[in-house]
Amino acid sequence: MATIEWKSFLIPYEQAVEELKVKFKSIRKEYRKRNEYSPIEFVTGRVKEISSILEKANKFNIPDERIMLEMEDICGIRIMCQFVDDVTKVVNIIRSRKDMHIMYEKDYVTNVKSSGYRSYHIIIKYPVSMAEGQRDIIAEIQIRTLAMNFWATIEHSLNYKYKHDIPDEIKAKLKIAADAAFQLDGHMLEIKDEIKDAQKLFEVKSSIVSNIIRNILTITSMGKLSEADIYKSKLNQLINKGEVFELNNLLRSTEKTIEMGR
Ligand code: 0O2
Ligand code: 0O2
């Protein structure tokens, strides 16, 4: 049997990873542009290393010609969420998409793995348009909270270090850490509204502050240096503890100065 031409074999997978990353990042951007909370915090993606593909094929006795059909995580996308209920929202977003065809789902958020691993996995078929036509690529999308991701990343590194034979004592500690991550997600969900409000307030304030700074620069470029200095010192007073209405008042004053100078 001919050996796989890895370089060309992986081209559609690379394309699928890039396209899927762009699509999920765009969903986040869309929420942000509307000044809404995004259930997607950040997205990463990778094509599985050739050595890992071969290792897995060997472990599961997958012949070369069946790798494409049977190995479902050559194209891997990971979506991180702040809160557990965001995971469900992202799952529903994926379920409603016409460009991603779900093959099956694995809910390790509810059905935690014996290692302590939690994540929601969706295996999809995703069509990529290649030079010679369309190809359906299988991709694995892992959706997890930041706490689940923290735990899985550490456990993955330990598995690498101990070559999948983590000592029992460390395994036991990882179990405790997995429980702690689970509880953290629960606590965070309870105070979600508070956190979201704080984040929203931070965004609102930082957007007003950047508009004030932009206006102060305009006022400086108009040659009104003493006014610009007054606004700078007012901004310095408000920047840490100022309320939104105080920042808004300052923004309006800078706007008036600019209008008068035109
Ligand atoms: P920005 O400007 O940082 O927001 P890429 O090829 O860079 O698109 P890749 O290679 O799949 O993405 O993954 P990478 O580089 O590991 O990370 C992807 C994005 O996730 C990057 O943002 C990282 O900044 C972001 N990221 C990674 N780890 C964390 C984390 O722990 N917390 C947060 N909030 N973000 C993280 P971008 O898309 O390059 O843009
Ligand atoms: P990578 O690229 O190193 O992450 P299997 O691979 O046989 O164990 P299966 O049925 O193919 O499992 O898929 P499953 O169990 O849904 O999980 C596949 C992927 O989920 C793994 O990919 C991991 O990324 C992640 N995963 C599953 N279980 C664990 C776990 O206990 N700890 C951590 N850290 N991650 C896990 P790979 O193959 O490990 O590849």
Side-chain angles (χ1 to χ4, degrees):
M1 180 186 55
T3 50
I4 294 180
E5 276 289 335
W6 284 108
K7 221 170 149 186
S8 48
F9 177 84
L10 291 179
I11 292 173
Y13 290 97
E14 280 154 8
Q15 188 163 325
V17 167
E18 288 313 312
E19 287 185 17
L20 288 168
K21 272 199 311 198
V22 166
K23 289 184 175 184
F24 288 115
K25 285 180 183 185
S26 303
I27 295 174
R28 175 182 164 76
K29 276 193 202 131
E30 198 185 317
Y31 277 103
R32 302 297 300 237
K33 275 191 192 145
R34 283 196 253 128
N35 272 330
E36 282 174 30
Y37 170 80
S38 165
I40 295 178
E41 179 62 10
F42 68 96
V43 181
T44 64
R46 60 104 186 93
V47 173
K48 207 174 179 74
E49 294 286 338
I50 298 170
S51 58
S52 308
I53 298 177
L54 290 172
E55 208 178 293
K56 196 163 180 175
N58 196 27
K59 184 175 156 197
F60 293 100
N61 283 321
I62 306 173
D64 280 4
E65 66 276 12
R66 296 203 58 83
I67 285 181
M68 222 179 151
L69 293 171
E70 290 184 24
M71 204 173 293
E72 292 165 343
D73 67 340
I74 297 177
C75 169
I77 297 291
R78 209 166 264 169
I79 300 174
M80 265 54 67
C81 312
Q82 293 198 51
F83 302 99
V84 185
D85 60 350
D86 295 333
V87 173
T88 317
K89 280 186 205 139
V90 175
V91 169
N92 286 330
I93 289 175
I94 297 172
R95 284 182 186 153
S96 69
R97 290 197 66 121
K98 300 271 180 289
D99 52 346
M100 301 170 195
H101 311 290
I102 297 180
M103 293 170 67
Y104 65 95
E105 302 178 12
K106 294 190 214 175
D107 181 0
Y108 298 131
V109 174
T110 315
N111 311 305
V112 55
K113 281 189 120 177
S114 58
S115 59
Y117 177 78
R118 277 196 157 85
S119 255
Y120 199 101
H121 292 193
I122 300 187
I123 312 296
I124 59 163
K125 259 196 192 138
Y126 178 74
V128 287
S129 300
M130 307 298 297
E132 70 275 13
Q134 187 171 299
R135 284 270 300 278
D136 274 346
I137 288 297
I138 298 177
E140 180 188 75
I141 307 173
Q142 300 180 342
I143 308 140
R144 43 170 83 153
T145 63
L146 296 174
M148 293 173 196
N149 188 49
F150 180 47
W151 183 91
T153 308
I154 303 287
E155 198 257 6
H156 193 272
S157 323
L158 287 172
N159 259 320
Y160 184 77
K161 175 174 172 186
Y162 291 105
K163 301 190 174 60
H164 292 279
D165 197 10
I166 300 178
D168 286 346
E169 179 198 297
I170 296 179
K171 261 191 200 156
K173 285 192 177 147
L174 276 170
K175 273 285 181 55
I176 295 169
D179 286 343
F182 176 66
Q183 283 179 21
L184 178 64
D185 272 334
H187 294 319
M188 287 302 191
L189 194 58
E190 280 165 25
I191 51 170
K192 178 173 181 174
D193 290 339
E194 291 272 333
I195 299 171
K196 272 170 68 180
D197 282 352
Q199 288 173 341
K200 183 100 186 153
L201 189 63
F202 174 78
E203 275 165 33
V204 168
K205 279 189 178 177
S206 59
S207 142
I208 304 174
V209 167
S210 58
N211 285 337
I212 295 172
I213 293 171
R214 193 198 55 212
N215 285 353
I216 292 176
L217 287 175
T218 309
I219 293 167
T220 309
S221 70
M222 292 164 107
K224 299 181 169 231
L225 301 184
S226 57
E227 278 106 321
D229 278 345
I230 292 168
Y231 289 136
K232 263 187 236 167
S233 75
K234 279 193 180 156
L235 180 60
N236 280 340
Q237 285 164 18
L238 293 179
I239 205 147
N240 285 326
K241 294 205 174 139
E243 298 288 340
V244 172
F245 80 91
E246 293 174 299
L247 286 163
N248 261 329
N249 285 345
L250 180 58
L251 177 63
R252 265 184 236 113
S253 305
T254 58
E255 283 165 354
K256 273 192 197 135
T257 304
I258 293 173
E259 274 165 30
M260 275 161 31
R262 284 207 170 117

